[in-house]
Amino acid sequence: MPVIDIHNHFFPNSWPDLAARYGTPNWPWIKHTEPGKADIMVGERFFRHIYSACWDPEARLQEMDRDGVDVQVMSATPVLFAYERPVEHALDCARMFNDAALEICSRGKSRLKSLCQVPLQDVDAACKELSRCMRSGHLGVQIGNHVGSKNLDDVGIVTFLQHCADEGAAVLVHPWEMFGRERMPKYMMPWTVGMPAETQLSVVAMILSGAFDRLPGTLRICFAHGGGSFAFLLGRLENAWHHHPVARGECQHPPSYYLNRLYVDSAVFDQRSLQFLVGTMGADRVMLGSDYPFPLGEERVGSLIRQSNLSQDAKGKLLRRNAARFLGLRVESQGVADTRSGAPEPERLTYSSYLKVPELLELQQPQSVPQHHDELLFILVHQTYELWFKELLHDLDAVVANLRKAGATPQSHDEVYEAARLLRRCTEITRVLVEQFTILETMLPTHFLAFRGLLEPASGFQSEQFREIEFLCGLKDEKMLRYHQPTAEAYASLKRRLEEPSLHDVFFGALQAMGKLPPASEGATERERFEARARAVHELYKDEHHHRDWIDVCERLTEFDELVVSWRLRHIQLVERIIGIRMGTGGSTGASYLKLTLDKKFFPELWEARTLLTE
Ligand code: HEM
C-alpha cells in the first residue's frame, strides 16, 4: 500500500492578475525571481519564497521519490481563500485554482491528487463548487478554520460539512487569519503560536457546540498541524467539562468521546509530540501530513514517522492506511514504497513479530479520561471473547465442510471423525467462554457504572461474530442485521451467512444422503418436518453398532448446544450482577430480554430424539 501525504501545497506557475480582474487590491500573485524560484506577493507585500516543486509535477515527483512518498494530496494555500471578499470573486478564484490543481495532477503520473477550495462565506456557492470539484476528480476540500468571526460550529459551515459528508468529500481544516496578530508582529509567531491555537479553537468549537452530534459519523475531517494545541490540552478541556457546567456547551458527551470523529496530521516535528499525539488520538487517527514544500514543512517527508518508536503496524496506519480511509481511496496494491530499492531488509521472524505482540498490545484503547482502572479489563475480556469467536467460526466452518463431504460420500467415515474432533474443540472453547465471565465479575457494579456511559451506543448486539456463530449453526434471524447496518463489511458477512446453508442444514442433508431422513413431502408442515428429523437422529442412536461416528457428532453438537445455553445463562447472571435490571446500551430491556434467548437451541431435534428413545 502506498505512502500518502495528505497535507502539502501547490501554487500554479502563473495566474491572471486578480487585482485587475476584480478591481480590488491586495490579491496574491507570483513573482518569478530566478529559474525554479519565485516569491508569493500579496499586493506589494512579500509573503513567501517558493520553488518549482509548487508548480512543476516533475520536480515534485523527484522529491517524492527521494522521500519514499507515493501519493501527495495537494491543496492550495489559505492566502487564496478570499473568504473576506465578495462571493463572486472568491468563487471565480476558487474555480481557477481548483482547475489548476487538476491540471498539475494530470501530469503527476497518478501520484498527485488534490483537495479543492470553496467560497466558504456563502454556503450555497461553497456546496455547488464542492460538488463540481468532486465530479471533476478532487478527493475533498481544504477549508480555513473560520470565516471572519464564524467558527466551524456556525450553522452555515455545519451545513457545508454535512454536504461534504453527503458527497463523500474528505475535509482538511487549515488554520488561517490568526487572531491576536497585533501582539505577534515578529518571529513568525502567528505561525508557531497563532496557528495551533486557531486549530484548537476550531476543534473545541465543533465539540462543545454539539456539531459532531449533529453531523453524521461518515464525515471525514482532519485538522492540520497535529490538530494544533488540542490534543495536549484535552485534559484541561475534559476537566472543565466535568466540573464546570458553564464549560460544558451543548455536546452530549465529554470532549474525549469525540476523538474518533476527527483526524489530525503528523506535522508536529518532534518525536515526543508525535508519540503523545498518537497516544491521545489513537493510531487510527493520525496521518502523514508534511506541509511540503513550504519553509515550515517536513524536510524529508515521512521521516518523523519512520524514525519513531511506533510499532510497524502503527507506522503503517500513519503512513498509509489512515489516509486511504480518510480519503475514501481503495488502495489495493502492495505498494511501491515497500519494495523500492533502499527499503530495509525484511526482519527475521521473532516471537513478537510472528504473533504481532506490540500491535496486539496497542489495541486496548480505554475511553475514560482519566482512565478508569477496570476499563482495561473490560476491553481485554471482550477482545478475548472475540478472538475465541474467531476460532469457533474457523472450526465450525471446517465442521460444515467435513459434513458436506460426508454427505457426498456416505461410505467414507474420515470426515465424520474429523467433524467430531473439531466439534470437541468447539465445546472446549465454549467451556472456557462460560468460565471467563467470573473474571469480569471481579469488577464492582459501581466501577463499571463509572465508565458505562462512555460506551453508548456500543452494545453486545453489535458483536458480528457472535451473530455469525448463531447464523452458521442455524439460528437465523434477519432482524438482527439491523444492528450491523453502520458497518458495511459486517453487514455483508452476516447477509452471506444468512443465505448460506447452515451447519444444521448440512448435518440433516448428510442424514438424508445416508437414507436416514426421507425427503419431506411437499405439503409437510414445519412440525412434521421437525419430527422426521428427530426420528432420523433416533434411528442413528438405535443402531449404535453401525453409527458410532455419527452418534459421536450428535453428542458433540448436543454438548455444544448445551454449552452455548450455559454461556447465555452466565452472561445474564453477569448482567444482573453488574447492572441489575437496567436497559442495555443497545436499547433492549437488558436482562429480561436476554432471558428470552435461553430457549434458543441450534439443534432442537437432537434433544427431541432423546424423548423418542425407549428403554
Ligand atoms: C459488564 C458486562 C456486560 C454487561 C453489563 C452486558 C450487558 C448486555 C446487555 C444488557 C445486552 C442486551 C443487548 C443490549 O441492549 O445492549 C447484552 C447483549 C450481548 N452481550 Fe453483553 N454484557 C456484558 C458483557 C459481555 C461480554 C463479556 C460479552 C462477550 C462477548 C458480551 C456479549 C454480548 C452479546 C453477544 C450480546 C447479544 C446477545 C444476544 O442478542 O443474544 N457481553 N449484553
Side-chain angles (χ1 to χ4, degrees):
M1 205 189 251
V3 169
I4 307 172
D5 174 5
I6 58 102
H7 175 190
N8 51 83
H9 300 283
F10 75 96
F11 272 110
N13 191 16
S14 65
W15 61 87
D17 180 346
L18 301 178
R21 189 174 172 110
Y22 306 130
T24 45
N26 296 329
W27 283 91
W29 57 284
I30 185 165
K31 179 166 137 189
H32 287 277
T33 49
E34 57 183 281
K37 295 207 171 150
D39 287 344
I40 294 298
M41 306 291 291
V42 177
E44 288 312 305
R45 180 169 57 88
F46 166 79
F47 177 69
R48 177 170 296 165
H49 294 301
I50 58 171
Y51 68 104
S52 55
C54 274
W55 61 83
D56 176 3
E58 266 311 312
R60 189 177 269 263
L61 290 174
Q62 268 174 25
E63 296 197 326
M64 286 165 66
D65 285 341
R66 177 198 66 192
D67 295 351
V69 174
D70 299 284
V71 177
Q72 282 196 339
V73 185
M74 310 180 307
S75 331
T77 25
V79 74
L80 293 162
F81 283 158
Y83 293 166
E84 73 290 3
R85 309 239 181 204
V87 60
E88 55 280 13
H89 297 170
L91 175 60
D92 185 59
C93 174
R95 281 174 164 265
M96 195 182 308
F97 285 91
N98 291 338
D99 294 347
L102 290 179
E103 194 280 323
I104 297 177
C105 291
S106 71
R107 292 183 283 129
K109 304 189 173 144
S110 306
R111 294 172 61 190
L112 300 182
K113 310 276 174 204
S114 56
L115 301 179
C116 64
Q117 68 176 62
V118 293
L120 198 55
Q121 63 269 54
D122 183 306
V123 183
D124 282 349
C127 290
K128 281 193 189 123
E129 178 58 6
L130 178 84
S131 299
R132 183 188 80 88
C133 288
M134 291 304 285
R135 282 196 303 275
S136 54
H138 289 271
L139 297 179
V141 61
Q142 176 189 239
I143 58 169
N145 72 313
H146 63 100
V147 176
S149 59
K150 294 176 182 167
N151 287 322
L152 295 189
D153 60 334
D154 169 72
V155 178
I157 299 180
V158 171
T159 304
F160 173 74
L161 292 174
Q162 171 73 55
H163 185 66
C164 292
D166 297 343
E167 286 278 357
V171 183
L172 174 63
V173 179
H174 202 293
W176 83 306
E177 286 290 324
M178 283 66 82
F179 49 35
R181 282 182 91 108
E182 64 289 352
R183 291 179 50 219
M184 300 186 269
K186 292 194 276 188
Y187 320 129
M188 288 191 85
M189 281 166 81
W191 277 262
T192 55
V193 179
M195 279 195 169
E198 280 284 355
T199 310
Q200 181 189 13
L201 169 60
S202 303
V203 183
V204 173
M206 281 194 73
I207 292 177
L208 295 185
S209 66
F212 279 120
D213 296 315
R214 294 193 294 281
L215 284 161
T218 48
L219 174 70
R220 295 178 255 120
I221 187 166
C222 172
F223 292 82
H225 313 133
S229 31
F230 169 74
F232 189 67
L233 293 173
L234 175 62
R236 183 173 171 80
L237 181 67
E238 191 84 3
N239 180 51
W241 194 91
H242 282 291
H243 300 298
H244 301 281
V246 65
R248 280 207 162 187
E250 285 136 53
C251 55
Q252 290 171 13
H253 305 278
S256 57
Y257 174 87
Y258 299 92
L259 292 184
N260 64 3
R261 295 295 301 276
L262 55 120
Y263 292 87
V264 295
D265 74 16
S266 64
V268 292
F269 308 97
D270 175 74
Q271 286 299 348
R272 283 164 307 181
S273 305
L274 180 68
Q275 203 78 35
F276 178 82
L277 192 62
V278 171
T280 305
M281 299 297 301
D284 290 327
R285 293 282 141 191
V286 185
M287 301 179 281
L288 171 61
S290 65
D291 230 342
Y292 168 95
F294 287 167
L296 284 186
E298 190 177 20
E299 258 181 37
R300 288 285 180 272
V301 176
S303 57
L304 183 72
I305 296 173
R306 289 196 174 95
Q307 289 163 15
S308 71
N309 289 332
L310 294 169
S311 68
Q312 286 305 326
D313 185 55
K315 285 181 187 176
K317 288 181 175 177
L318 269 63
L319 290 169
R320 316 171 159 85
R321 302 206 295 274
N322 295 344
R325 198 171 63 244
F326 169 66
L327 297 164
L329 285 180
R330 199 195 302 275
V331 191
E332 276 153 355
S333 73
Q334 265 310 299
V336 279
D338 293 344
T339 52
R340 74 186 61 206
S341 59
E345 287 287 302
E347 281 172 24
R348 291 184 61 167
L349 210 56
T350 63
Y351 174 87
S352 272
S353 66
Y354 176 59
L355 298 174
K356 301 252 180 277
V357 175
E359 289 85 345
L360 192 63
L361 300 185
E362 259 188 38
L363 294 176
Q364 296 71 44
Q365 291 172 10
Q367 298 281 311
S368 49
V369 183
Q371 192 184 317
H372 192 287
H373 181 83
D374 280 3
E375 197 183 347
L376 181 65
L377 174 77
F378 185 79
I379 294 174
L380 278 170
V381 168
H382 279 82
Q383 287 182 339
T384 313
Y385 272 102
E386 289 294 336
L387 287 174
W388 282 124
F389 288 166
K390 181 172 181 172
E391 180 63 32
L392 279 178
L393 283 166
H394 183 57
D395 291 327
L396 289 168
D397 274 332
V399 171
V400 169
N402 276 289
L403 291 185
R404 190 174 278 127
K405 277 193 218 148
T409 47
Q411 61 287 4
S412 158
H413 296 276
D414 287 356
E415 289 81 8
V416 189
Y417 286 125
E418 184 58 6
R421 188 184 72 83
L422 288 168
L423 280 169
R424 161 113 205 288
R425 180 180 300 158
C426 294
T427 57
E428 290 314 314
I429 292 172
T430 313
R431 215 181 295 284
V432 168
L433 296 188
V434 175
E435 279 306 309
Q436 269 200 52
F437 285 121
T438 56
I439 308 176
L440 211 44
E441 283 174 340
T442 61
M443 179 173 66
L444 289 179
T446 41
H447 291 186
F448 178 56
L449 292 178
F451 61 87
R452 183 181 189 235
L454 300 174
L455 312 181
E456 271 177 82
S459 148
F461 271 157
Q462 293 158 340
S463 168
E464 176 206 338
Q465 296 199 103
F466 178 81
R467 207 60 71 200
E468 269 197 69
I469 292 171
E470 281 196 341
F471 286 9
L472 169 57
C473 289
L475 265 179
K476 297 182 180 180
D477 184 351
E478 196 165 2
K479 287 196 296 302
M480 288 302 179
L481 285 183
R482 71 176 187 276
Y483 295 105
H484 302 275
Q485 230 127 20
T487 340
E489 247 174 83
Y491 188 87
S493 314
L494 279 169
K495 194 99 191 7
R496 179 174 61 78
R497 293 275 184 205
L498 204 59
E499 283 152 12
E500 269 174 8
S502 64
L503 174 54
H504 181 276
D505 299 331
V506 173
F507 172 78
F508 284 104
L511 295 198
Q512 198 163 32
M514 286 160 62
K516 297 286 167 203
L517 175 63
S521 60
E522 263 205 10
T525 61
E526 229 355 274
R527 181 69 209 167
E528 285 162 353
R529 289 167 198 260
F530 172 80
E531 281 167 2
R533 291 195 293 269
R535 278 198 302 278
V537 174
H538 177 226
E539 289 293 306
L540 293 178
Y541 275 86
K542 278 202 311 195
D543 192 2
E544 187 178 335
H545 180 63
H546 287 105
H547 298 305
R548 208 173 282 283
D549 51 353
W550 277 101
I551 292 175
D552 207 18
V553 169
C554 292
E555 285 297 290
R556 297 276 83 87
L557 288 174
T558 313
E559 196 175 350
F560 183 57
D561 226 358
E562 194 174 81
L563 284 160
V564 172
V565 176
S566 303
W567 185 94
R568 294 186 199 274
L569 181 63
R570 284 296 289 117
H571 176 246
I572 294 169
Q573 288 170 331
L574 165 85
V575 172
E576 286 189 324
R577 182 165 170 170
I578 304 236
I579 61 164
I581 55 162
R582 278 184 173 74
M583 278 186 69
T585 46
S588 80
T589 50
S592 60
Y593 157 78
L594 291 167
K595 280 179 190 165
L596 301 176
T597 67
L598 281 175
D599 287 336
K600 289 186 178 180
K601 284 200 174 73
F602 296 144
F603 312 103
E605 297 86 347
L606 297 180
W607 298 88
E608 178 75 7
R610 265 108 182 125
T611 316
L612 300 178
L613 288 168
T614 46
E615 289 81 16

